Amino acid sequence: MSAQVEADVHTISPEMPAMFDGMKLAAVATVLYVIVRILNLKCPTVAPDITCQDTPLNCYLLKSCPILTKEYIPPLLWGKSGHLQTALYGKMGRVKSPKPRGLRKFLPMSDGATATFDLFEPQGVHSTEDDITMVICPGIGNHSEKHYIRTFVDYSQKQGYRCAVLNHLGALPNIELTSPRMFTYGCTWEFSAMVGYIKHTFPQTQLIVVGFSLGGNIACKYLGENPANQERVLCCVSVCQGYSALRAQETFLQWDQCRRLYNFLMADNMKKIILSHRASLFGMSSSKMEPADLSRLFMATSLMQIDDNIMRKFHGHSSIKEYYEKESCVHYIHNISVPLLLMNTSDDPLVHQSLLTIPRTLAEKKQNVIFALTLHGGHLGFFEGAVLFPQPLSWMDKVIVSYANEK
């Protein structure tokens, strides 16, 4: 009996290592397959997809700004993942971010609020020797101290541009609100006040309007609200905005591209900003908030819930639909007559592909509009690099300044 068992053991044992080796190889192959799929390693690097009319001005701009027609090459190992590009931007902003020195300006508003912006003087002479100011509107809840803003400002200064960066109302943690109101999706009051100050203080300067994400919506809405707002404006550049909040809200409830998760994370950040100004927003006598609104804020898990219970009330909108309609640049952007560069990415996890029909259609119909769509870049990422480590300066920074230089 024992001899038979021993014989069986000797018969089976040589096959076991081979079977385990096969399982290991299968597991490794599966992991590699998943990594390749998640990181999109097989995806090619291509030049941006450009939509514009065939006009002499557009041909000149594309020829003079060759970076727009050449391949955008992100870091090889992770740069083709929109999620990783977005995550790195959200966590770090930029690599080795500089610290430009500016002056903080305070502007009293008619409703008691106090707008703030930072002013940075040029660190070189512009190629045309003209006085040109970049007026910059950052993304949601952002300000001049964010790394991606600091990197862009430093680069622009060295190219001879003065920079004025709006600090969204309530975004700076060390600046108290002076009225029961904070920034919203499309309120242009603070941006308008900053531009007015620049025009008055520097009567010879010309303007380049730049908006990132939510700031792109505000910048384009501001220019389209009144033709007078476009005076002395050479051009406008908008990066990674969604154009229509009403259409975007539907996509933010979907799990496609983990958009519902991003919605939750951004809502959590908005709650922190609002609660940091709880005394001003809920305690002042002129506040439009009710105690029940604070309870709803604590329970909110999406930006739409926060917008409906808090944000729309700052400007007296009767519904969230009215709020999104009135504060979206899609209803104003067609009024812009100065050269307009709209930039988005195909792998932006925050901006659904369906929203990109807005800038594409606009560029097809209007001679002054160029729409550039990159295959990679995520949301405000646009990192460049060889294999693993990104460069301090992003592709986005280079494109904006290159485009502005031709105005």
Side-chain angles (χ1 to χ4, degrees):
M1 183 70 174
S2 60
Q4 181 64 38
V5 172
E6 185 177 352
D8 291 342
V9 171
H10 284 302
T11 303
I12 296 173
S13 58
E15 301 174 357
M16 295 298 288
M19 183 176 70
F20 282 123
D21 287 343
M23 292 176 62
K24 290 178 183 178
L25 288 173
V28 170
T30 302
V31 170
L32 289 175
Y33 174 77
V34 171
I35 290 175
V36 168
R37 287 296 300 271
I38 291 177
L39 298 182
N40 293 321
L41 295 180
K42 295 181 68 176
C43 195
T45 57
V46 297
D49 180 31
I50 302 294
T51 304
C52 65
Q53 290 193 15
D54 187 15
T55 65
L57 176 60
N58 288 338
C59 291
Y60 167 77
L61 289 173
L62 293 176
K63 183 178 180 180
S64 303
C65 188
I67 189 173
L68 270 175
T69 56
K70 292 182 179 179
E71 281 185 322
Y72 158 54
I73 304 177
L76 177 63
L77 291 183
W78 55 268
K80 295 178 181 179
S81 167
H83 294 293
L84 290 180
Q85 286 251 19
T86 302
L88 189 59
Y89 145 75
K91 191 68 176 177
M92 295 178 56
R94 291 291 180 261
V95 179
K96 298 180 181 178
S97 177
K99 296 182 179 179
R101 295 183 179 181
L103 294 176
R104 182 152 295 166
K105 302 291 184 178
F106 297 83
L107 303 175
M109 308 294 290
S110 59
D111 67 342
T114 303
T116 70
F117 71 93
D118 285 22
L119 186 63
F120 303 87
E121 291 298 329
Q123 299 299 315
V125 179
H126 192 267
S127 58
T128 63
E129 298 186 357
D130 292 334
D131 185 312
I132 305 177
T133 303
M134 295 263 195
V135 285
I136 302 164
C137 195
I140 183 170
N142 290 175
H143 43 74
S144 62
E145 297 175 10
K146 291 294 183 178
H147 287 192
Y148 77 100
I149 295 293
R150 283 165 35 184
T151 300
F152 176 68
V153 166
D154 180 74
Y155 181 55
S156 299
Q157 283 182 290
K158 292 175 180 176
Q159 302 300 312
Y161 291 98
R162 179 186 299 107
C163 294
V165 182
L166 181 69
N167 299 310
H168 285 300
L169 201 61
L172 283 169
N174 57 337
I175 301 293
E176 293 293 330
L177 294 176
T178 57
S179 76
R181 179 176 69 85
M182 58 181 288
F183 76 92
T184 59
Y185 177 68
C187 178
T188 60
W189 296 354
E190 292 79 50
F191 189 72
S192 177
M194 179 182 76
V195 172
Y197 177 93
I198 295 298
K199 286 183 175 181
H200 176 76
T201 307
F202 306 100
Q204 302 302 318
T205 196
Q206 294 176 298
L207 306 179
I208 306 288
V209 178
V210 180
F212 299 102
S213 192
L214 171 142
N217 178 73
I218 292 176
C220 290
K221 181 171 177 282
Y222 165 76
L223 290 177
E225 284 176 335
N226 191 330
N229 293 345
Q230 300 178 51
E231 294 176 1
R232 292 164 57 184
V233 173
L234 296 176
C235 67
C236 173
V237 182
S238 165
V239 187
C240 288
Q241 70 150 307
Y243 306 97
S244 172
L246 188 62
R247 289 169 59 175
Q249 67 148 345
E250 301 170 0
T251 69
F252 263 114
L253 296 176
Q254 302 168 1
W255 281 103
D256 175 51
Q257 290 290 312
C258 299
R259 203 167 286 107
R260 186 66 181 86
L261 176 60
Y262 285 106
N263 187 3
F264 174 80
L265 295 174
M266 289 191 294
D268 187 60
N269 186 57
M270 278 299 299
K271 283 163 64 170
K272 292 176 181 177
I273 295 176
I274 294 171
L275 290 173
S276 70
H277 298 287
R278 178 175 177 176
S280 300
L281 296 176
F282 294 88
M284 290 186 175
S285 57
S286 57
S287 174
K288 298 178 182 179
M289 300 297 126
E290 300 175 357
D293 295 326
L294 185 59
S295 300
R296 297 188 188 101
L297 175 64
F298 281 115
M299 295 187 296
T301 58
S302 71
L303 286 174
M304 284 68 75
Q305 291 173 330
I306 295 175
D307 289 340
D308 192 22
N309 294 311
I310 304 293
M311 309 304 286
R312 69 173 177 83
K313 298 182 180 180
F314 291 140
H315 295 284
H317 296 297
S318 60
S319 67
I320 189 171
K321 180 179 180 180
E322 179 185 286
Y323 168 66
Y324 286 155
E325 287 282 1
K326 293 288 182 66
E327 302 225 345
S328 294
C329 77
V330 67
H331 304 296
Y332 303 88
I333 197 169
H334 60 276
N335 296 326
I336 299 176
S337 58
V338 300
L340 175 62
L341 174 62
L342 304 173
M343 295 166 55
N344 286 93
T345 71
S346 294
D347 65 354
D348 188 334
L350 305 186
V351 180
H352 193 272
Q353 286 282 326
S354 62
L355 298 171
L356 301 182
T357 59
I358 297 172
R360 184 176 289 109
T361 302
L362 188 72
E364 291 171 347
K365 292 182 176 180
K366 297 207 64 178
Q367 295 184 358
N368 63 305
V369 181
I370 295 177
F371 173 50
L373 180 66
T374 61
L375 191 58
H376 308 295
H379 189 78
L380 295 181
F382 295 105
F383 291 98
E384 287 187 302
V387 179
L388 181 61
F389 298 104
Q391 300 171 5
L393 202 62
S394 75
W395 182 86
M396 172 185 76
D397 302 321
K398 299 173 186 176
V399 168
I400 297 174
V401 171
S402 179
Y403 178 80
N405 284 343
E406 301 307 323
K407 305 320 312 155

